[in-house]
Amino acid sequence: MLTINGITVRLGGRAILERATASLPARSRVGLIGRNGAGKSTLMKVMIGQLEADEGSIDMPRKTRVGYIAQEAPSGTATPFETVLAADTERATLLAASESEQDPHKLGDIHERLIAIDAYTAPARAARILIGLGFDEAMQAQPLDNFSGGWKMRVALAALLFSNPDLLLLDEPSNHLDLEATLWLENFLRAYPGQLVVISHERDLLNNVVDNILHLEGGKVTLYAGGYDAFERQRAERAAQLAAAKASQDAQRAKLQDYIARNSARASTAKQAQSRAKLLARMQPIAALAEDQTLAFDFPSPDELKPPLITLDLASVGYADRPVLQRLNLRIDPDDRIALLGRNGNGKTTLARLLAAQLAPMAGSMAASGKMRVGYFTQYQVEELDGSDTPLAHMTRIMEGKTQAAVRAQLGRFGFSGNKATTQVAKLSGGERARLALALITRDAPHLLILDEPTNHLDVDAREALVQALNGFDGAVVLVSHDRHMLELTADRLVLVDDGTAREYAGSMDDYVAMILGKSTASDAAGAAQAKPKDARLARQEAARAREAQATLRQSAKDHETRAAKLAQQVSAIDRAMFDPASAEPALAKLTMGDLAQRRGKFAAELEAVEAAWMEALEAIETAAA
């Protein structure tokens, strides 16, 4: 068990932690969460002894081996493979001793210990970890100095995981990872045998890996059982009596429902309405972020353009004379929500730069609407902000010729009002600087937003606010992110960048996750290989018929679900018109109360029938699967 006893830490005269107290169960997997600047990293530094608390103590069993990634990335001529192997210092010491020890008894003890710690399987384990984090065999043999800072931090993470400490402490481990490596890390941590404390803003990681949430707020810590969704439910239950929070969420729900009801039937906005419906369905009981206006994201809506915005026809793109991607065929329309999938280094950023017109096609063609405006976000823009300037100065400079009212209005969309607008950038948090960069790139209401890893440095609540803003944006979005939760809620098209090209991915995010994690039907394939040719052919035919039947049932269920959602929206719109005529849609506002009641009865009856058919289709799917 790890116990936090009344920890108080004061920095610069301000109490970051104030008598923080909690007991973490033995072998628990704990997600340490809180707003940016709440003190999460400070508490973790106290745990490893890097920072001395003004008051209190951290208690843990004697001889506990604690693992934590150093701030400085490894460098030098050693390879990633050598660096990871060297992280197990006991193994390295024992192997060195086995080479020089002459006493046969001591040598026997050394070899017994080497066997006990699985020293001889270490090279295979090290290679598996490096492969999981994106290092192929060739990369594992290159000197560390050949890699960028982000890849070096991956080596540091691999070395830490390989060392297998009793207490593993991770501070935002997925910041330098792509989606594929993040999925592998989740899988690895889920099976980790020791105790884990992880600072993360990844909702999926916090749901799939941890079994306790340690919430840091106002210098205090509170331990909740379960993952992040369970934490949100418990916190929402405790806050249920706060009428202001409930009213805020009700208003947000009404706004989403109103948009869905008004736009579901229009072809030009149907996809955006579906994204809002998805967001509404997964909204937690009380959204804490609604109480904090500094989390604002509000992308300005562009004027309408006819589709397509961009068309790629057998285009190639790269650097100098070397193409990175070839045979690109892609069309982007004004209402598209596209997620670019694929490992880092496969060309996602190259494709994003092509779409942003920062790179020209080397072959083939790229046609773009002449009036299209593009907003392109990268982490480099965040890092290049002038720390001595203020958000107001940055925006005034880039919106030259605009009135101060227009400049402040754009800043206000992203939470920079009042004193925040005149605070030096150097004093802003990483999340606030990311919001400022987003405010700058959207100043002229772009028709296409291209966001390359926009969630780095954003906490969970800020990410939820960004999801809402993207679903409320009336233009097209191309998104590169390792945050699976964000991709699932915002993207309706998946494009896989791999093997030197980019192509539509026909499956869902769940299908992609299963593919990455290698969840294939290997045992079924092995059994089929041993069957007689005729039996195998019949089995394939039966399997094909079963898949076709399943597909028909799934499509039927999806159609019923879609129809039910539309009918529910229509009923909701009529209810609103009956009880609050001032907010009614124009078409409904003209109807009498009797007409509204008659229409509501018709839609409600149809909704009941459609929901019954939907349930029957779902039951049929379950029966067929069994």
Side-chain angles (χ1 to χ4, degrees):
M1 178 179 289
L2 186 151
T3 306
I4 303 168
N5 293 312
I7 294 294
T8 297
V9 176
R10 300 181 183 89
L11 298 174
R14 183 172 70 93
I16 306 298
L17 301 171
E18 193 163 8
R19 301 198 61 77
T21 300
S23 294
L24 310 185
R27 293 190 177 278
S28 57
R29 295 177 177 83
V30 180
L32 177 53
I33 69 169
R35 290 282 174 81
N36 283 338
K40 303 183 296 296
S41 295
T42 299
L43 178 56
M44 190 164 279
K45 288 175 182 176
V46 174
M47 290 181 183
I48 64 170
Q50 191 177 102
L51 183 66
E52 186 175 350
D54 294 293
E55 298 175 18
S57 63
I58 300 289
D59 295 339
M60 64 183 74
R62 291 182 60 191
K63 296 184 178 180
T64 297
R65 294 182 301 114
V66 180
Y68 180 76
I69 295 181
Q71 290 184 344
E72 291 186 6
S75 60
T77 58
T79 67
F81 183 73
E82 292 166 346
T83 303
V84 171
L85 279 179
D88 189 341
T89 54
E90 182 184 10
R91 174 183 177 275
T93 301
L94 289 170
L95 286 175
S98 68
E99 295 293 330
S100 58
E101 183 59 58
Q102 301 297 321
D103 187 321
H105 296 292
K106 290 183 179 180
L107 190 59
D109 292 340
I110 290 172
H111 284 292
E112 283 184 11
R113 182 57 184 165
L114 284 169
I115 292 171
I117 65 174
D118 289 331
Y120 300 110
T121 65
R125 286 188 288 113
R128 281 198 301 270
I129 291 173
L130 283 166
I131 288 171
L133 293 176
F135 292 86
D136 60 26
E137 188 174 350
M139 293 173 70
Q140 292 182 33
Q142 295 178 23
L144 286 171
D145 286 344
N146 284 8
F147 295 97
S148 66
W151 283 97
K152 288 179 180 178
M153 289 308 297
R154 289 197 190 199
V155 176
L157 175 60
L160 175 60
L161 298 178
F162 176 76
S163 67
N164 199 34
D166 303 315
L167 173 60
L168 177 60
L169 303 176
L170 298 173
D171 191 345
E172 298 194 45
S174 59
N175 259 7
H176 300 285
L177 304 181
D178 51 28
L179 173 61
E180 291 72 14
T182 300
L183 293 172
W184 177 88
L185 179 63
E186 283 184 20
N187 212 38
F188 182 93
L189 295 179
R190 199 180 295 123
Y192 192 73
Q195 186 163 26
L196 168 69
V197 178
V198 56
I199 298 173
S200 179
H201 301 306
E202 304 284 340
R203 181 185 287 260
D204 286 299
L205 186 148
L206 293 171
N207 277 325
N208 297 336
V209 173
V210 309
D211 51 29
N212 285 269
I213 293 289
L214 187 62
H215 183 221
L216 177 53
E217 185 176 36
K220 309 288 187 182
V221 290
T222 306
L223 189 66
Y224 295 81
Y228 189 83
D229 286 348
F231 154 74
E232 276 208 331
R233 286 194 295 270
Q234 293 173 66
R235 187 172 58 158
E237 289 166 4
R238 292 185 181 188
Q241 71 274 24
L242 299 179
K246 188 177 187 304
S248 176
Q249 187 186 71
D250 288 345
Q252 185 184 9
R253 284 180 179 277
K255 184 177 178 181
L256 287 169
Q257 289 167 342
D258 180 63
Y259 185 95
I260 293 165
R262 287 187 292 104
N263 292 276
S264 292
R266 294 171 55 195
S268 62
T269 57
K271 287 185 179 179
Q272 296 167 40
Q274 289 168 12
S275 294
R276 284 171 170 79
K278 193 186 301 183
L279 175 64
L280 182 63
R282 295 182 63 166
M283 188 181 292
Q284 295 300 317
I286 294 179
L289 61 91
E291 303 171 25
D292 189 346
Q293 298 304 315
T294 65
L295 290 178
F297 288 92
D298 183 16
F299 298 117
S301 296
D303 51 299
E304 290 189 14
L305 284 182
K306 293 181 179 179
L309 294 179
I310 295 177
T311 303
L312 298 179
D313 186 11
L314 292 175
S316 296
V317 63
Y319 305 91
D321 296 326
R322 186 179 67 86
V324 175
L325 299 172
Q326 302 181 76
R327 307 181 306 283
L328 297 173
N329 292 300
L330 181 67
R331 170 178 167 142
I332 300 178
D333 288 333
D335 62 349
D336 273 332
R337 298 288 193 276
I338 299 173
L340 301 185
L341 307 177
R343 284 194 176 276
N344 280 357
N346 282 3
K348 298 191 299 293
T349 296
T350 301
L351 177 55
R353 293 188 64 191
L354 173 66
L355 298 175
Q358 290 192 359
L359 292 174
M362 302 169 67
S365 66
M366 171 177 165
S369 173
K371 297 181 179 179
M372 180 182 64
R373 297 183 296 273
V374 178
Y376 180 37
F377 173 91
T378 72
Q379 284 299 313
Y380 296 113
Q381 292 163 325
V382 179
E383 296 163 3
E384 290 170 359
L385 292 171
D386 188 339
S388 62
D389 258 348
T390 65
L392 182 60
H394 276 91
M395 192 64 71
T396 300
R397 187 162 53 247
I398 204 167
M399 292 181 67
E400 184 180 0
K402 301 293 184 180
T403 65
Q404 276 293 294
V407 171
R408 284 191 173 270
Q410 175 64 5
L411 286 170
R413 288 176 176 273
F414 293 83
F416 294 100
S417 56
N419 292 336
K420 275 292 181 184
T422 54
T423 301
Q424 279 191 335
V425 169
K427 296 180 180 179
L428 300 177
S429 69
E432 288 170 331
R433 288 195 290 272
R435 285 211 315 277
L436 176 56
L438 286 167
L440 293 171
I441 68 159
T442 58
R443 65 193 181 279
D444 58 356
H447 300 90
L448 171 62
L449 273 179
I450 303 173
L451 307 181
D452 194 344
E453 295 293 358
T455 61
N456 284 356
H457 308 299
L458 295 184
D459 58 35
V460 183
D461 288 335
R463 293 181 185 207
E464 288 299 309
L466 179 57
V467 167
Q468 293 182 32
L470 289 174
N471 283 323
F473 177 57
D474 289 330
V477 176
V478 174
L479 184 62
V480 178
S481 178
H482 62 263
D483 189 325
R484 185 161 82 252
H485 176 74
M486 172 168 287
L487 296 180
E488 288 174 340
L489 288 186
T490 58
D492 50 41
R493 284 178 64 191
L494 304 178
V495 173
L496 179 59
V497 182
D498 193 21
D499 292 331
T501 190
R503 58 189 181 278
E504 295 279 346
Y505 183 75
S508 65
M509 277 301 302
D510 287 340
D511 296 328
Y512 186 69
V513 169
M515 181 183 74
I516 294 301
L517 295 179
K519 294 179 179 176
S520 61
T521 55
S523 58
D524 294 339
Q530 295 173 0
K532 295 180 181 179
K534 182 177 178 181
D535 292 339
R537 184 167 59 253
L538 290 173
R540 285 196 297 271
Q541 291 172 351
E542 290 175 2
R545 285 194 291 271
R547 286 195 300 271
E548 185 176 348
Q550 278 276 0
T552 302
L553 289 171
R554 283 197 297 270
Q555 185 60 49
S556 175
K558 185 176 181 181
D559 291 343
H560 288 312
E561 180 183 7
T562 301
R563 180 59 182 158
K566 290 181 178 179
L567 288 168
Q569 292 158 11
Q570 289 169 321
V571 170
S572 176
I574 294 172
D575 287 342
R576 202 161 46 251
M578 294 175 71
F579 295 105
D580 186 12
S583 67
E585 298 175 14
L588 295 176
K590 298 176 182 178
L591 300 178
T592 65
M593 192 63 69
D595 290 337
L596 288 171
Q598 184 178 7
R599 182 174 292 195
R600 189 191 189 285
K602 175 186 174 183
F603 285 144
E606 187 179 352
L607 175 60
E608 184 176 353
V610 171
E611 286 181 336
W614 181 18
M615 291 300 105
E616 288 178 7
L618 291 176
E619 289 174 4
I621 291 172
E622 292 178 3
T623 302

